[in-house]
DNA sequence: AATGAATGAGGATTCATTCAT
DNA sequence: AATGAATGAATCCTCATTCAT
């Protein structure tokens, strides 16, 4: 913190931070909080630690965030945002359905490897049964709902005749698999290949979709795994 | 904690009552700690909270457990033990392979519904990545390894020709699905049927097994779901 | 605060609008501070609270007031001023002495009911005995001295032959009763009629005056209540 | 604090504090809190200050008191108790009614001079409009009710035919006068003689009692000041 | 005429743990 | 076999105030 401060003073004022750069401070705080929360979880993320890692005094953190809870919520939100935008780019390309599903799964897996903060943090918050007013937890649950809607949209696009009930069930299953594989990867480290496992999961989901279809419209489909 | 326990057993006790009291106190502490840790996670489980919920003074907790970490480890161990014993009973019964797999999945799901503490707590610990190799976390990872060995054993029994690499991969996938579905159930409450979802997962795994077999020994298998 | 105020007046202002804004901001701050200080006392009046209630940033408060202490002093001064001016109007009217005393007491009581902030705040400050001679407290004590002088003046007018020592004593007693009744009203709410109680007090004081007179000049007076 | 602690260790263990003397620690904390709160009020009484004045670490204060509020409440309660017991001793003695009233007033005044903490503190709390759940304020209001009941009892004993409404009114007036004179004494220091002023107040109340009686039972009484 | 941003000191309270008894 | 009391470090957060713009 100290050196940070000194650096700021000694550095010649060539580019005077436009509008007294609070944007940068806010970002520094979020960066620090994201790192620490990613390593140590919600409770392990002390304001003092964020302060010293960000170079700003603890009291300054409260200029930008009402309290620790909202700080973590902001971390989750930003992390989710950058995950989403990383995902959005490679949306459609050729190949048959199976290939496309597998590609999507791989993309999800890869982006999770890059910015997993919101997921790890969010899962921890979700598992701890904090009072429901907790901003950070609520934020994660909102985000989770967004992700689920996307997944369900993709499932509907993939199999338009799939009944809504199946869409819900398979949506849950897709996300459950992603969560579970993410956890496996977090626990076992890089010994397990998250991308390969995700493709396995995609396969399983794909098989489940066709199976559900065959149960609903028995004449139109055959087992296709 | 371990030596404490042993000491209590080996030292001859003239008065039965005393020993019973000690054991009862220990149990009360564990019960309280299990409840709280299940609700609030490792950090949220303060010694003071365990003290007031158990009715015993904080210092008494340290008579039974070396420190908080070993208390939580004991909670996990006990909870896992009761989960395992609940699982052990209905091990084998007739029906074809598919049925058997589905039955196992249902049993696992049901026991998780009954005693979910160790899994929730363990997952939190696993996600938290606390720097020092905490006893409680280690204990959970050990237990997880036991569970994985069981799963892999079942997979080998199911498909003896499955290569070891596939066994590992599918073992991971089985557990990941269980974790993910457990989380989904924790988050969404009872709106999702954990048992039905587990059977869906069992199906998916079974399909994956046959698929791996067909990839490895292409001539011997056909799709069999 | 004082110089700030003067500076504002002496410096010629080209634009009328600007000056009006400044004065309005100052008033907004004082209003907010008066409300909060009336409710929560000196320590309970944080600059942050005044800032959010007034809608102006905390740093702007320091543009108008040197520090918190002078802000509170200004609150007391303004509140006292408006109390005094409310009191000044109905100063003299007919009736015998008893009536006049009672009317005065009623007037005081009514104005206290209308603007009790400065008295409540002042009493809190007076009781608090903060070590450094805080401006706000001093301001209140000055004001209290002014009020006492008025009371003593009225007593002298009422009974010119009353010795100075008695004037002092009765002046103290008048104010003590007012303070006490104000407190009773603050505590018990409207269950007690402050005006009626004030008239009771006026009676008591009047009786005490005649009593003091009879002790000093025994031959000239008789009981006259 | 430090020396305190050392002293405790170096002092030879001749009299080992019976039952690990928490009673003494509690008293030390209360003493410290009473001194500081008497000087600086509720907000001015920081736990850190109580800690260093009592010689016990801040965290130990929380062994005895749930929070600062309950600590102050305990201070008020104890101070009131010792005031009451100081007051109880000289209950009845000869002389005519006027003398007796004056003696009582003098006793009250003298005891207030000795242990005024509960009154100063309580008045401050009563004036600040803290949330009603505040323990300390509530405690003071309870105490005030006890004192009022006593006063009303004394009034009834003094003039059994006094109607209840007058008893209430005069009870309020007695206490208001005491509060007001106490404040006058606190503000002006020893320049005003609290005891003499209290006797003046007693006289005024006595006159008011006879006046109320004469208004209610016009034939039985005459003005008696 | 103002204000966004920053800051160090201090606020109350909880923490896991120890120790004498 | 247990516990009342104590403790120092850490917790989150608020405080009044400053300063560059």
């Amino acid at each position: 913190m100290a050196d940070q401060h000194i650096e700021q003073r000694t550095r010649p004022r060539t580019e005077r931070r436009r509008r007294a750069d609070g944007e940068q401070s806010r970002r520094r705080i979020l960066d620090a909080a994201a790192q620490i929360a990613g390593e140590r979880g919600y409770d392990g993320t002390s304001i003092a630690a964020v302060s010293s890692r960000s170079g700003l005094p603890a009291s300054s953190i409260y200029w930008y965030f009402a309290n620790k809870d909202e700080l973590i919520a902001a971390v989750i939100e930003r992390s989710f945002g950058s995950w989403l935008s990383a995902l959005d780019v490679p949306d459609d390309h050729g190949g048959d359905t199976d290939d496309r599903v597998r590609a999507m799964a791989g993309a999800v897996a890869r982006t999770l490897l890059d910015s997993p903060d919101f997921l790890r943090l969010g899962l921890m918050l979700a598992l701890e049964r904090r009072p429901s007013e907790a901003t950070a937890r609520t934020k994660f649950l909102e985000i989770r709902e967004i992700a689920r809607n996307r997944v369900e949209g993709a499932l509907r696009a993939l199999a338009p005749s799939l009944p809504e009930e199946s869409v819900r069930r398979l949506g849950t299953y897709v996300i459950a698999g992603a969560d579970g594989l993410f956890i496996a990867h977090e626990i076992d480290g890089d010994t397990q290949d998250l991308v390969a496992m995700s493709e396995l999961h995609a396969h399983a989901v794909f098989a489940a979709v066709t199976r559900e279809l065959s149960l609903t419209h028995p004449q139109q489909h055959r087992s296709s795994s």
Side-chain angles (χ1 to χ4, degrees), chain A:
Chain A
M1 181 225 96
D3 21 2
Q4 200 78 39
H5 197 75
I6 285 162
E7 189 194 8
Q8 207 168 289
R9 292 238 169 124
T10 44
R11 187 202 297 162
R13 258 321 131 66
T14 43
E15 36 156 5
R16 34 162 172 66
R17 353 175 246 167
R18 299 148 214 157
R19 297 198 164 252
D21 210 351
E23 202 93 335
Q24 188 199 238
S25 296
R26 204 189 126 95
R27 196 163 41 243
R28 280 227 292 257
I29 293 168
L30 275 176
D31 289 344
Q35 279 174 44
I36 298 169
E39 286 163 15
R40 306 206 275 249
Y42 186 100
D43 291 286
T45 305
S46 72
I47 295 293
V50 175
S51 160
S52 79
R53 178 115 55 165
S54 70
L56 285 145
S59 52
S60 287
I61 295 173
Y62 288 88
W63 175 260
Y64 295 95
F65 304 94
N67 49 41
K68 175 174 157 173
D69 201 39
E70 297 208 347
L71 168 60
I72 303 291
V75 166
I76 290 180
E77 188 163 34
R78 192 182 64 158
S79 168
F80 178 68
S82 72
W83 176 73
L84 265 195
S85 64
L87 249 190
D88 264 356
V89 188
D91 214 15
D92 63 339
H93 41 77
D96 71 354
T97 317
D98 195 6
D99 281 355
R100 225 155 58 214
V101 168
R102 197 181 331 203
M104 263 176 52
V108 169
R110 267 184 295 273
T111 52
L112 282 184
L113 286 177
D114 281 353
S115 49
D117 284 345
F118 82 94
L119 189 48
R120 178 168 46 229
L121 253 179
L123 287 177
M124 280 161 42
L125 290 175
L127 285 171
E128 298 181 30
R129 297 184 162 164
R130 313 193 155 258
S132 56
E133 0 94 19
T135 323
R137 188 182 199 266
T138 305
K139 176 60 71 186
F140 175 68
L141 295 184
E142 284 169 26
I143 275 170
R144 197 180 166 79
E145 216 44 47
I146 294 174
R148 164 197 277 281
N149 286 336
R150 290 217 161 196
V151 167
E152 292 183 2
L155 285 171
R156 283 189 206 97
L158 189 72
S161 59
L162 202 60
E164 265 310 293
E165 196 204 320
S166 298
V167 170
R168 287 292 293 175
R169 194 164 353 131
L170 288 168
T172 300
Y173 185 57
V174 165
I175 288 184
D179 290 342
L181 289 174
F182 175 76
I183 288 173
H185 177 260
E186 286 291 313
I187 290 179
D188 301 333
D190 272 356
T191 60
Q192 297 286 336
D193 182 351
L194 181 57
V195 175
M197 298 294 295
S198 292
E199 292 180 5
L200 171 57
H201 183 47
H203 251 294
V205 171
F206 193 59
V209 168
T210 56
R211 186 163 165 271
E212 297 266 338
L213 284 176
S214 74
L215 292 175
T216 331
H217 316 283
Q219 74 288 359
Q220 292 162 5
H221 289 267
R222 222 118 292 175
S223 78
S224 59
S225 84

